């Protein structure tokens, strides 16, 4: 009987230990590419300092990581800025919260055909990211450059139908963000997020139009509502907001990643 009791207690202890180990693993969604490499540095720090296992799951689009977070497949994701997250919350009813901030990855307008915006011909074909907020982000940059006039230049979700004046008759192609580097040879200019520009060999210094470090589009670590106070989530955020992570981002993005947590928080 004592052996049976001891065996039962051992099994219970193992089950408790297993459950504890499971709670010390965070499933983190990232977009495949250099942002994943940056997260890997934070994951190593979290493991070394907090004994926290960060399982990184890569995606190739901007929609699926939020769906996976909402359905519980992920504990957190790190790839989007607040205007984009809010647009997804509004459209799909997600209950998300901001656990912490990462970097500003400036968007730039690139061209293989022209060396300046002054060379853009009338009727030029302009490729835009087709996701909410990033499309508006690109159009606001064009408005600020005097290329078009938006009805409301503060509308972060502007689309081409919100253009009040287009004196040079630019034509717009709305393309999935990840595909923009591929269509660059076929258009006069394309607005490409640095997440996808850098892996394609495009450097922000070569962009015809680009955001500065004052950009309000700071990327963030998103979680389900209420989880932002979880200890393991707070530890992950702390592991991310380190000098080693900044150094890795600088190595990969070469000035195209600006730490956003000090200003944002």
């Amino acid at each position: 009987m004592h052996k049976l009791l001891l065996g039962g207690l051992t099994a219970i202890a193992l089950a408790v230990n297993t459950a504890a180990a499971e709670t010390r693993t965070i499933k983190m969604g990232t977009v495949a590419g250099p942002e994943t490499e940056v997260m890997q540095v934070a994951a190593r720090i979290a493991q070394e300092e907090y004994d926290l296992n960060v399982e990184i799951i890569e995606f190739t689009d901007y929609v699926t990581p939020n769906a996976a977070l909402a359905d519980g497949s992920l504990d957190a994701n790190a790839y989007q800025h607040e205007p984009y997250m809010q647009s997804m919350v509004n459209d799909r009813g997600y209950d998300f919260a901001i656990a912490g901030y990462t970097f500003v990855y400036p968007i730039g307008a690139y061209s293989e055909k022209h060396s300046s915006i002054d060379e853009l011909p009338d009727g030029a074909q302009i490729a835009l990211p087709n996701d909410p907020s990033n499309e508006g982000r690109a159009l606001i940059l064009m408005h600020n450059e005097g290329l078009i006039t938006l009805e409301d230049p503060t509308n972060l979700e502007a689309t081409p139908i919100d253009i009040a004046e287009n004196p040079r008759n630019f034509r717009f192609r709305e393309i999935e963000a990840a595909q923009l580097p591929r269509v660059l040879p076929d258009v006069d200019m394309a607005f490409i997020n640095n997440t996808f520009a850098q892996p394609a060999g495009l450097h922000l210094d070569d962009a015809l139009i680009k955001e500065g470090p004052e950009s309000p589009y700071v990327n963030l670590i998103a979680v389900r509502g209420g989880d932002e106070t979880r200890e393991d989530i707070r530890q992950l955020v702390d592991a991310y907001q380190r000098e080693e992570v900044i150094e890795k981002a600088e190595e990969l993005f070469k000035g195209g990643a600006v730490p956003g947590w000090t200003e944002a928080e």
Side-chain angles (χ1 to χ4, degrees):
M1 181 179 296
H2 292 297
K3 289 183 178 179
L4 289 173
L5 179 59
L6 181 60
L9 290 174
T10 301
I12 291 172
L14 286 171
V16 170
N17 288 337
T18 299
E22 289 176 352
T23 61
R24 297 299 298 165
T25 295
I26 287 180
K27 291 185 177 180
M28 165 62 72
T30 62
V31 170
E35 286 188 61
T36 295
E37 295 183 57
V38 173
M39 182 59 70
Q40 287 168 346
V41 176
R44 175 178 54 77
I45 294 171
Q47 181 69 60
E48 292 172 353
E49 295 197 13
Y50 296 114
D51 195 27
L52 176 63
N53 178 45
V54 180
E55 180 184 345
I56 299 174
I57 300 170
E58 296 180 276
F59 296 84
T60 58
D61 69 281
Y62 280 176
V63 176
T64 313
N66 274 340
L69 178 60
D71 70 20
S73 301
L74 298 175
D75 294 294
N77 64 44
Y79 76 100
Q80 62 191 320
H81 49 65
E82 189 171 0
Y84 180 79
M85 185 186 78
Q86 193 57 52
S87 72
M88 294 287 280
V89 167
N90 294 340
D91 291 345
R92 304 191 179 208
Y94 294 148
D95 179 17
F96 290 165
I98 300 171
Y101 293 89
T102 62
F103 292 90
V104 177
Y105 296 101
I107 196 171
Y110 300 88
S111 177
E112 292 186 357
K113 299 178 179 179
H114 313 290
S115 58
S116 74
I117 57 173
D118 294 333
E119 294 181 7
L120 291 172
D122 291 349
Q125 200 169 153
I126 313 294
L128 306 171
N130 68 353
D131 56 272
S133 79
N134 279 318
E135 184 168 37
R137 185 180 184 183
L139 290 171
I140 289 170
L141 283 176
M142 290 190 70
H143 172 94
N144 292 342
E145 289 288 335
L147 296 173
I148 59 172
T149 301
L150 290 171
E151 293 176 357
D152 178 7
T154 67
N155 178 13
L156 300 182
E157 296 187 16
T159 70
I161 65 172
D162 299 305
I163 296 173
E165 296 179 17
N166 181 12
R168 296 171 63 181
N169 296 312
F170 293 134
R171 294 170 294 150
F172 296 95
R173 290 180 59 183
E174 298 164 292
I175 307 289
E176 184 182 351
Q179 304 302 318
L180 285 164
R182 297 183 184 181
V183 305
L184 183 57
D186 303 321
V187 297
D188 290 283
M189 186 170 71
F191 283 86
I192 306 175
N193 296 71
N194 215 27
T195 303
F196 300 115
Q198 193 275 342
L202 301 169
H203 301 287
L204 196 62
D205 288 343
D206 299 324
L208 307 189
I209 307 172
K210 60 186 175 183
E211 289 177 319
E214 73 283 354
S215 168
Y217 295 92
V218 183
N219 276 24
L220 53 88
I221 296 173
V223 296
R224 288 182 295 280
D227 284 356
E228 67 273 21
T229 59
R230 277 172 40 182
E231 181 183 25
D232 54 353
I233 295 293
R234 300 313 307 160
Q235 290 171 341
L236 171 64
V237 172
D238 178 65
Y240 194 100
Q241 295 176 347
R242 299 293 186 90
E243 187 63 31
E244 289 176 72
V245 174
I246 294 174
E247 291 172 358
K248 187 63 176 181
E250 176 61 29
E251 172 194 331
L252 293 171
F253 289 97
K254 304 187 187 309
V258 182
W261 47 87
T262 302
E263 293 79 1
E265 295 179 334

